[in-house]
Amino acid sequence: MSDIDKRRLSEEPITYRITKNRTVVIYYKGKQIKFLKDREALRLIERINEVENNITELQLLIAKITGNFKRGNEKLGKNK
């Protein structure tokens, strides 16, 4: 890996679940953020199997798949 900040990834904030029909559901701190199916899901499952022994690599892989889902307004809901 390059010089990506890995500290947050070591805390394992991102989890995933592979369903019976080979779809992948990705969660961030318990909340569903992405749902993959078909070819995209199969490609991710293959990559997960390659890096499953390295937690940081796995977290980075899934974080890249989710993209930029946080937009900077997450704290607004807490203040209301």
Side-chain angles (χ1 to χ4, degrees), residues 2-71:
S2 62
D3 56 344
I4 296 173
D5 187 3
K6 302 173 198 170
R7 290 175 289 182
R8 290 188 181 178
L9 296 178
S10 64
E11 297 169 1
E12 297 185 56
I14 302 172
T15 56
Y16 67 93
R17 183 172 55 100
I18 301 172
T19 63
K20 289 180 183 178
N21 57 354
R22 307 301 280 175
T23 59
V24 180
V25 184
I26 300 175
Y27 301 92
Y28 178 76
K29 294 186 178 180
K31 294 182 182 180
Q32 180 180 335
I33 57 170
K34 187 115 176 153
F35 182 83
L36 304 171
K37 59 182 182 175
D38 301 328
R39 187 179 304 155
E40 192 176 18
L42 293 175
R43 196 173 321 137
L44 178 60
I45 292 169
E46 288 175 10
R47 297 284 314 273
I48 287 172
N49 290 333
E50 292 173 8
V51 298
E52 67 184 341
N53 296 331
N54 188 337
I55 294 171
T56 307
E57 284 284 337
L58 180 62
Q59 289 289 303
L60 181 61
L61 171 69
I62 298 174
K64 286 181 179 180
I65 295 294
T66 61
N68 185 14
F69 69 93
K70 296 180 85 175
R71 301 288 182 211

